[in-house]
Amino acid sequence: MKPFTRIKKIHGYEYAYEITPYYDKESKRIRQHSKYLGKYEDGKIKRVSYTLPVSAYDYGELLPFLKIGEDLKVGEILQTILPEDATHTVIALAINRIVSPVSMDNLKTWYDRTHLSNLYGSLSLSSQSISNLLRKLGESNINVDFSSRFVKSLKLEKKEALMYDITSLSSYSKLIDILEYGYNRDGLDLPQLNLFLIAHKTLGIPIFYDVYPGSIVDVSTLHNTIERLRSLGINEISLIMDRGFFSDGNLADLKESGYDFIVPASFSNKRVKSLVLEMKKDIERGKNLTKFNGQVIFVMSTLVDIGEYTYQAYVYYDPQRESGERVRLYDRLHSIAERLGNRKLRKWENPSKVFGEIAGKYSSYLDWKTIDYEYTVNVKDKAVSQRVNRMGFTVILYRGEYDWKEVLTWYREKDIIEKMFMVMKKDLEIAPLRAHKTEVAKGLIFVNFIALIMRFRLLQLMKKTDLTEKYSIPKLILELSKIRKISLQDGSFITSEISKKQKDIIKKLELDV
């Protein structure tokens, strides 16, 4: 009996098998031997190679980041600044921070099991070698050198929107000289350095950063940031900030810079408080009524004098938000008063300190005294009334030809930079800083900056292709991690079978497998 070929369809794919019939004496029946020949595609059999595999490498999870690095010319730009081995090491470190953060001691083990080791070859990845590289990066001006080239490669359009914010990175180290105590955004009682970040709104990626000593406050960094942007050749942009940067001096710097800007006003400013009280009388009129994202709000355009200049502003009033804020304030004040009323002081306790610990940021709304080691608490009606009067209001100063909807939308979208800080600290595991020298800490921040570019570019690509409806970034990485690169005895490589889910991801992200 002659052998013949049979095509089988399995999970949507066709495979070829050589079928050899034979007579089974025991069962006295015709049976078949089956031999796998290979995949059946386009009417042809792709013969299987029987060369034995030597090793299997992590591969699939690298693909998005290798493509993003190539598309954004990250490696190309780095090689104009660093030697090839250093460039490859920085990219390997950055990808590791995204897909599987490990300590520097374990980086070589991770690298050797990935296909990067075949692409980049042998790299010096001992903890001492990595530390030396990070130190050299930190000693250099690489953040400015890289960003100046990176910004030019992006070819920013005029009036591009850039978001600007600042965070703190804490450390237990005693040797990082720019660590200082200051306002810690994570609520940690540790010295810190301050990191400011500028992100491109449309691309959704960071494009520049710098570090400052930890005691420097937000409002004092803007002047230098404007100078930095000028040095990068960024002359016509819209700068979006949060209210932490609102001050007379910063507004004047923005006005004189020629940049368009959007910055929410702080209610600690007397002129802003007065403006809201003036607007409160007229804002709830029909001509000011509109909707934003399906919710009723009132909007008025006005001018406001701050310092020596006059600024354009939109005043927004959200009745629903006012109601929620009012209820939360009253509920919190009642809870604090009740807790203090039930608090029996011990003889050695400081009443003022205990009150501050319990009342926290609500201390200014409460009067108190103690009688026989017990608190008597009263609500300050005037202070509460002043707070209630501005509830539901948002005042945003701006420069440029923007309508109220653009200004409010851009302001609300600035939270992407806050997400970048959160990802850097939690997912990339940069905080607390695990470095013992200033230069090493700065080098580590640069590596995380490269990782942040890659990760947030992937997020934007996932949003554009609707992959975010099915996957988070960790879930997508996990799915792709099932794809392996297999080394054969003859020195060639083959890729493991790719599932339907993985094919969908690869197609949408246009990955080259």
Side-chain angles (χ1 to χ4, degrees):
M1 288 177 280
K2 292 182 179 181
F4 61 92
T5 301
R6 176 179 292 162
I7 306 300
K8 296 182 182 180
K9 196 166 186 176
I10 304 172
H11 299 307
Y13 300 100
E14 292 185 314
Y15 300 91
Y17 292 84
E18 183 182 81
I19 307 299
T20 304
Y22 69 95
Y23 181 72
D24 186 347
K25 294 180 180 179
E26 290 187 11
S27 64
K28 298 181 179 180
R29 297 175 63 183
I30 300 296
R31 294 188 178 277
Q32 297 176 341
H33 282 302
S34 179
K35 178 183 176 183
Y36 176 60
L37 298 177
K39 262 191 172 182
Y40 186 73
E41 294 179 353
D42 302 323
K44 296 179 181 179
I45 299 171
K46 290 190 174 180
R47 296 272 174 182
V48 64
S49 170
Y50 286 101
T51 304
L52 293 175
V54 175
S55 301
Y57 297 92
D58 295 349
Y59 177 58
E61 66 267 46
L62 310 176
L63 291 172
F65 308 108
L66 291 172
K67 175 177 171 53
I68 288 166
E70 184 177 344
D71 290 348
L72 294 179
K73 301 181 180 177
V74 172
E76 185 180 322
I77 293 168
L78 283 172
Q79 286 206 57
T80 65
I81 307 168
L82 300 171
E84 184 178 67
D85 279 6
T87 293
H88 290 161
T89 302
V90 168
I91 292 173
L93 284 167
I95 292 176
N96 172 260
R97 301 325 296 163
I98 307 169
V99 302
S100 179
V102 296
S103 68
M104 297 306 169
D105 287 341
N106 296 319
L107 191 81
K108 187 177 188 310
T109 302
W110 171 83
Y111 176 80
D112 287 344
R113 75 164 192 253
T114 73
H115 191 53
L116 289 176
S117 60
N118 301 310
L119 296 175
Y120 296 159
S122 179
L123 297 177
S124 298
L125 294 175
S126 68
S127 58
Q128 186 60 53
S129 295
I130 296 169
S131 182
N132 288 339
L133 173 61
L134 294 177
R135 177 178 54 76
K136 289 177 182 177
L137 294 176
E139 288 172 344
S140 71
N141 209 27
I142 194 166
N143 61 321
V144 177
D145 291 341
F146 176 85
S147 288
S148 62
R149 292 166 170 79
F150 188 51
V151 167
K152 285 177 184 175
S153 74
L154 295 175
K155 298 178 181 176
L156 301 184
E157 299 291 334
K158 289 183 178 181
K159 301 303 181 185
E160 284 279 14
L162 301 182
M163 295 167 289
Y164 170 55
D165 206 349
I166 193 167
T167 193
S168 49
L169 296 176
S170 304
S171 177
Y172 293 96
S173 174
K174 305 290 186 184
L175 301 175
I176 301 177
D177 56 21
I178 59 173
L179 289 177
E180 296 176 354
Y181 282 92
Y183 170 61
N184 192 295
R185 294 154 187 83
D186 301 320
L188 300 174
D189 186 22
L190 288 172
Q192 64 190 31
L193 59 80
N194 286 334
L195 169 74
F196 88 67
L197 197 64
I198 294 175
H200 189 286
K201 178 182 174 294
T202 306
L203 294 176
I205 58 173
I207 62 171
F208 183 56
Y209 76 92
D210 208 349
V211 295
Y212 289 107
S215 62
I216 293 178
V217 295
D218 296 9
V219 293
S220 63
T221 63
L222 185 59
H223 181 81
N224 287 340
T225 299
I226 290 171
E227 293 301 315
R228 290 286 201 185
L229 291 173
R230 294 275 191 228
S231 71
L232 295 175
I234 301 174
N235 297 310
E236 295 188 66
I237 53 147
S238 296
L239 203 54
I240 307 168
M241 295 159 286
D242 70 15
R243 62 172 44 87
F245 296 96
F246 183 88
S247 71
D248 292 12
N250 278 349
L251 289 171
D253 281 337
L254 287 168
K255 188 86 169 179
E256 293 162 7
S257 72
Y259 289 161
D260 284 358
F261 63 86
I262 292 172
V263 57
S266 169
F267 288 107
S268 62
N269 183 281
K270 291 181 180 179
R271 184 65 194 99
V272 176
K273 284 183 185 176
S274 300
L275 177 67
V276 168
L277 290 175
E278 293 166 14
M279 292 291 194
K280 197 172 181 71
K281 303 169 188 175
D282 300 316
I283 200 166
E284 283 188 273
R285 292 188 177 182
K287 65 179 181 179
N288 304 319
L289 175 63
T290 187
K291 277 193 170 184
F292 183 77
N293 293 342
Q295 190 167 320
V296 170
I297 64 170
F298 295 87
V299 183
M300 289 182 71
S301 176
T302 188
L303 297 173
V304 57
D305 296 323
I306 306 287
E308 60 183 303
Y309 291 112
T310 300
Y311 301 90
Q312 296 170 290
Y314 286 114
V315 180
Y316 303 89
Y317 171 61
D318 183 340
Q320 188 173 333
R321 183 161 66 89
E322 179 197 18
S323 176
E325 288 178 350
R326 189 192 298 259
V327 169
R328 284 192 294 273
L329 176 64
Y330 291 152
D331 181 69
R332 189 66 185 132
L333 291 176
H334 180 271
S335 175
I336 291 169
E338 190 175 58
R339 188 177 168 191
L340 287 165
N342 294 330
R343 179 68 155 84
K344 183 76 174 178
L345 286 164
R346 300 172 181 85
K347 289 183 179 181
W348 49 267
E349 286 185 305
N350 182 327
S352 180
K353 184 178 179 181
V354 172
F355 171 81
E357 289 172 350
I358 294 174
K361 65 180 181 180
Y362 297 92
S363 298
S364 60
Y365 300 113
L366 299 169
D367 268 329
W368 62 277
K369 60 182 179 179
T370 58
I371 301 175
D372 296 331
Y373 301 104
E374 291 183 351
Y375 285 101
T376 299
V377 181
N378 292 303
V379 174
K380 295 180 180 179
D381 292 332
K382 185 176 179 180
V384 170
S385 177
Q386 288 176 347
R387 177 68 184 91
V388 168
N389 281 339
R390 64 176 187 263
M391 284 182 173
F393 279 87
T394 302
V395 180
I396 304 179
L397 277 60
Y398 71 99
R399 176 180 180 171
E401 298 298 322
Y402 307 118
D403 62 31
W404 70 265
K405 189 174 287 187
E406 285 178 300
V407 169
L408 187 57
T409 300
W410 285 17
Y411 163 65
R412 292 194 175 179
E413 287 178 352
K414 70 174 177 53
D415 68 342
I416 188 173
I417 204 163
E418 294 167 5
K419 290 174 183 174
M420 289 179 183
F421 287 142
M422 183 177 70
V423 165
M424 182 178 272
K425 292 178 182 181
K426 295 185 177 179
D427 296 347
L428 306 185
E429 299 183 5
I430 195 174
L433 277 168
R434 296 175 180 86
H436 296 293
K437 293 183 179 179
T438 302
E439 293 74 18
V440 174
K442 287 182 175 180
L444 189 60
I445 291 170
F446 178 74
V447 167
N448 278 267
F449 172 67
I450 299 297
L452 211 59
I453 291 172
M454 292 180 172
R455 194 184 192 279
F456 273 85
R457 184 56 182 158
L458 174 60
L459 180 61
Q460 288 299 103
L461 294 173
M462 288 172 65
K463 286 178 179 177
K464 286 181 180 179
T465 55
D466 298 324
L467 283 170
T468 47
E469 294 178 7
K470 295 180 181 179
Y471 301 96
S472 63
I473 287 182
K475 188 175 178 182
L476 182 134
I477 289 172
L478 185 62
E479 184 62 46
L480 289 177
S481 70
K482 299 171 188 175
I483 303 173
R484 310 270 282 170
K485 187 65 82 171
I486 300 165
S487 168
L488 303 177
Q489 284 182 333
D490 62 4
S492 63
F493 289 92
I494 60 172
T495 304
S496 63
E497 289 293 328
I498 300 174
S499 70
K500 187 176 180 181
K501 284 183 180 180
Q502 293 157 2
K503 280 192 172 183
D504 181 56
I505 294 170
I506 288 166
K507 182 179 179 181
K508 287 182 175 177
L509 295 180
E510 299 179 359
L511 302 179
D512 183 11
V513 180

